[in-house]
Amino acid sequence: MADVRDILELERPVTPELTKEALLNSKKRTVERKIVAKRPEGMHREVFALLYNDNKDAPPLLPTDTVSGYKKTKARLGMKKVRRWEWAPFVNPARTDGAVFHHWKRVSDEQKEYPFARFNKQLDIPTYTLNEYNAHLKTTKWTKQQTDHLFDLAKRFDVRFIIMCDRWERANYGIKSVEDLKERYYEVVGILNKVRNANAQGGTEKKVYVFDAEHERRRKEQLKKLFDRTSKQVEEEQQLLNELKKIEARKKERERKTQDLQKLISQADQQQTEHHQKEQQQHHHQNPTHGNPSTSHKKQDKKLNKKKIQQQPRTSKVDSVVSAVESAGIKFTDLRGTGVSLRSQKMKLPANVGQKKAKALEQALQEFKVDPNPPPVEEICVAFNELRSDMVLLCELRTALATCNFELESLKHQYEALCPGKTLNIPAALVNPPADDSASGMDESSMA
């Protein structure tokens, strides 16, 4: 348009002068800053949101839902009639007093059994007759009246011995502890099961539970002593445990240093023998024998070969096997620490037993039909650990015997090779006896 106005010689409006300030001011935009209130220090975000929001509204008195969206939930009102409810009576079959209760139920629902009656579980408490009591259940510590009262309480309180001991009538039947009640109850149940299983033909035998009352009393005494310890005794015990840890750490450090020293001694001995052999070879080269060089050289070679054969240590596995047999067996840890521990931990295999040994032990126990997890009684623990240690020793002895037989055969072949025409007669006492079938399973799984 400016060029057209110049051609037509028309006046054009005065344009303002373009400057740097005018260009910068025209590009500036007015930005409104919102003043946001800061949350005071120490106040939680949720509490501050209740007191103040961005719109500066007062906090709501009631919980409201002000979420704005394109879709709002609507009430789903149907055109069907409202279902009728009634105040109906019901009976709980778990009760025996015939009590009638009421609850709300729909008229259209069918009459069903009270659903919570299935949680009423009743224990099967055995009963006995007078003849059974006189024949099998008579004792000097318990009378028939006391036994009858015990089983009546067991039926009433579902064999909850703590409550039974609390409700025991001490005025009529004397004082009895929880252990006495348990011992008598399980004794009667076990005798009745044995008698009735013996009389029944073709029935499955029930497992009889034996309660050790003396062990339970000792356990509670130990717990009471442990609980009644003073703070001074606890501190003294902790100090002793710390000292024991220090002693074990020093012992391990001493063993490690001993092993390092033995390695250094063995390396020094090996270097000394190598140096001695080199000196002998140099001495032979510097002082050759006079005479015919070929014959003397042959004789010298034969002598050297014989010396080498005599001095060369034969790679034998007998020494390693003998040392393995001497250290065979399993050394189980002796739990002598303070505090409570399970006796079954004594039967746990140590960490130094490898997987091969563990698998071979499992196969041997299955082979001899031994329970791999017997009840952890003191005598059974000791006997079971000795049995497994003897099994490992037996397998090591069989391995050593097989190795010795192999060495004898190799010596025989070497003797026949060095002395042709001669045979080495091995005594019959050193011959391997024939292995039985039960040993084959353990021999196959090498317990290295």
Side-chain angles (χ1 to χ4, degrees), residues 64-83:
T64 56
D65 187 10
T66 58
V67 178
S68 59
Y70 70 94
K71 184 179 180 181
K72 294 183 179 180
T73 57
K74 297 180 180 180
R76 297 180 179 178
L77 301 176
M79 300 303 292
K80 296 180 181 180
K81 293 182 180 180
V82 179
R83 290 174 292 183

Side-chain angles (χ1 to χ4, degrees), residues 52-301:
Y52 180 82
N53 57 11
D54 295 338
N55 297 328
K56 297 182 181 181
D57 295 333
L61 299 177
L62 294 173
T64 56
D65 187 10
T66 58
V67 178
S68 59
Y70 70 94
K71 184 179 180 181
K72 294 183 179 180
T73 57
K74 297 180 180 180
R76 297 180 179 178
L77 301 176
M79 300 303 292
K80 296 180 181 180
K81 293 182 180 180
V82 179
R83 290 174 292 183
R84 245 185 106 189
W85 291 71
E86 65 176 355
W87 184 248
F90 71 95
V91 179
N92 188 355
R95 297 179 66 104
T96 57
D97 54 356
V100 180
F101 304 97
H102 293 76
H103 64 172
W104 287 101
K105 66 180 285 292
R106 293 195 186 101
V107 179
S108 59
D109 291 346
E110 298 178 359
Q111 188 70 26
K112 296 180 180 179
E113 191 183 52
Y114 187 59
F116 295 99
R118 59 191 175 91
F119 295 108
N120 184 37
K121 303 294 182 183
Q122 297 291 334
L123 295 178
D124 186 14
I125 307 297
T127 57
Y128 50 87
T129 61
L130 182 61
N131 294 331
E132 288 178 340
Y133 183 85
N134 293 329
H136 307 288
L137 304 177
K138 267 190 176 181
T139 55
T140 56
K141 296 181 180 179
W142 286 75
T143 62
K144 187 177 184 304
Q145 290 78 16
Q146 290 175 339
T147 308
D148 294 342
H149 183 54
L150 171 65
F151 275 79
D152 183 33
L153 291 176
K155 191 173 182 180
R156 284 172 57 193
F157 301 112
D158 293 335
V159 201
R160 294 180 176 91
F161 289 102
I162 304 297
I163 304 174
M164 290 164 58
C165 182
D166 181 66
R167 299 301 175 90
W168 181 265
E169 295 182 8
R170 295 172 177 80
N172 298 330
Y173 303 106
I175 299 173
K176 297 289 183 181
S177 63
V178 179
E179 289 77 20
D180 297 333
L181 300 181
K182 285 184 179 181
E183 185 180 19
R184 180 58 176 167
Y185 176 79
Y186 288 116
E187 179 188 4
V188 172
V189 172
I191 293 172
L192 291 175
N193 286 335
K194 285 182 180 179
V195 172
R196 290 169 184 174
N197 289 333
N199 295 332
Q201 295 180 357
T204 57
E205 294 185 2
K206 294 183 180 179
K207 189 175 182 181
V208 178
Y209 178 74
V210 180
F211 178 73
D212 193 354
E214 291 298 326
H215 174 73
E216 186 70 13
R217 292 189 187 97
R218 290 196 302 269
R219 187 183 69 85
K220 287 188 176 181
E221 287 177 4
Q222 293 295 332
L223 287 176
K224 189 174 182 303
K225 290 178 182 178
L226 191 67
F227 183 76
D228 292 340
R229 290 182 304 170
T230 61
S231 58
K232 187 176 180 180
Q233 291 175 344
V234 174
E235 290 177 0
E236 183 180 358
E237 184 180 353
Q238 191 63 36
Q239 289 176 0
L240 291 174
L241 288 175
N242 294 333
E243 289 294 329
L244 179 62
K245 289 180 181 178
K246 290 179 182 178
I247 291 170
E248 290 178 351
R250 287 197 293 268
K251 182 181 177 182
K252 289 181 180 179
E253 184 68 20
R254 190 163 55 249
E255 289 176 355
R256 188 182 62 81
K257 288 181 179 179
T258 305
Q259 291 177 359
D260 294 341
L261 184 61
Q262 288 178 354
K263 287 181 181 179
L264 291 174
I265 292 170
S266 61
Q267 288 178 1
D269 293 340
Q270 187 177 3
Q271 290 176 0
Q272 187 175 1
T273 53
E274 289 178 357
H275 182 68
H276 183 64
Q277 289 177 0
K278 287 181 180 178
E279 285 182 351
Q280 286 182 353
Q281 290 177 2
Q282 289 177 2
H283 179 70
H284 285 303
H285 286 298
Q286 288 175 2
N287 299 323
T289 57
H290 299 283
N292 192 0
S294 61
T295 56
S296 63
H297 186 67
K298 287 180 181 180
K299 290 180 181 179
Q300 188 176 358
D301 289 340

Side-chain angles (χ1 to χ4, degrees), residues 308-340:
K308 284 181 181 178
I309 291 171
Q310 292 175 0
Q311 295 177 0
Q312 184 178 2
R314 188 172 53 85
T315 58
S316 176
K317 296 182 180 179
V318 176
D319 297 334
S320 61
V321 171
V322 170
S323 62
V325 169
E326 289 176 354
S327 63
I330 303 174
K331 295 181 181 179
F332 291 91
T333 56
D334 191 6
L335 301 175
R336 293 182 180 178
T338 57
V340 180

Side-chain angles (χ1 to χ4, degrees), residues 34-40 43-60:
K34 293 182 180 180
I35 301 173
V36 180
K38 293 185 178 180
R39 176 165 56 90
M43 181 180 289
H44 291 284
R45 178 173 55 82
E46 292 81 1
V47 179
F48 181 69
L50 292 174
L51 298 177
Y52 180 82
N53 57 11
D54 295 338
N55 297 328
K56 297 182 181 181
D57 295 333

Side-chain angles (χ1 to χ4, degrees), residues 305-447:
N305 290 331
K306 287 183 180 180
K307 287 182 179 179
K308 284 181 181 178
I309 291 171
Q310 292 175 0
Q311 295 177 0
Q312 184 178 2
R314 188 172 53 85
T315 58
S316 176
K317 296 182 180 179
V318 176
D319 297 334
S320 61
V321 171
V322 170
S323 62
V325 169
E326 289 176 354
S327 63
I330 303 174
K331 295 181 181 179
F332 291 91
T333 56
D334 191 6
L335 301 175
R336 293 182 180 178
T338 57
V340 180
S341 62
L342 297 175
R343 192 184 288 114
S344 59
Q345 291 180 356
K346 292 183 179 180
M347 297 191 298
K348 188 178 179 181
L349 289 174
N352 57 358
V353 178
Q355 292 184 355
K356 291 183 178 179
K357 280 189 180 181
K359 289 181 180 178
L361 275 175
E362 289 179 3
Q363 292 178 2
L365 292 174
Q366 291 177 1
E367 210 174 304
F368 294 109
K369 296 181 180 180
V370 180
D371 187 7
N373 296 314
V377 186
E378 185 69 28
E379 294 81 5
I380 295 178
C381 286
V382 176
F384 189 61
N385 291 343
E386 290 179 355
L387 174 64
R388 290 187 291 178
S389 182
D390 292 342
M391 284 181 175
V392 174
L393 179 59
L394 176 62
C395 189
E396 293 289 348
L397 288 171
R398 285 172 178 160
T399 307
L401 183 60
T403 306
C404 291
N405 290 328
F406 178 76
E407 290 291 331
L408 284 173
E409 291 293 331
S410 62
L411 282 173
K412 182 179 179 181
H413 292 307
Q414 286 181 8
Y415 179 78
E416 291 175 355
L418 291 173
C419 303
K422 295 183 180 180
T423 57
L424 181 64
N425 295 323
I426 301 174
L430 299 178
V431 178
N432 183 13
D436 54 351
D437 296 335
S438 62
S440 60
M442 293 181 66
D443 291 334
E444 288 175 0
S445 57
S446 60
M447 295 165 60

